[in-house]
Amino acid sequence: MTIRRRASSRLWCPKCGREVGVVDLIQAELLTGIDQATLHAGAEAKRWHSFTGPDGTLLVCLESVLKSM
Ligand SMILES: [Zn+2]
């Protein structure tokens, strides 16, 4: 398991129109309790805002995930 330097990062979300917290699917699962498969499906279905991070990791906009709960 890769140890990340930062627990979360911030990116400009064009859909929110502001800078938001973004997390990868592992962190999103920990924060929301939604399992990674559901998160991934939700991102693919554009249920929440998703990004591809600098290292190619799928990141999700935390605001959009929390709003959907
Ligand atoms: Zn967003």
Side-chain angles (χ1 to χ4, degrees):
M1 188 176 159
T2 309
I3 307 292
R4 283 168 193 279
R5 222 172 299 165
R6 289 194 293 166
S8 65
S9 52
R10 299 185 75 79
L11 278 178
W12 179 264
C13 178
K15 288 173 184 164
C16 288
R18 61 191 178 89
E19 203 178 67
V20 296
V22 294
V23 290
D24 65 24
L25 294 188
I26 297 163
Q27 291 165 339
E29 182 181 24
L30 290 171
L31 287 164
T32 62
I34 304 170
D35 67 80
Q36 284 183 52
T38 304
L39 284 164
H40 197 271
E44 298 239 301
K46 311 274 187 235
R47 198 170 145 208
W48 32 74
H49 315 153
S50 59
F51 309 88
T52 305
D55 58 357
T57 312
L58 181 65
L59 301 169
V60 290
C61 163
L62 202 50
E63 298 290 323
S64 64
V65 176
L66 294 174
K67 268 183 212 162
S68 75
M69 291 176 78

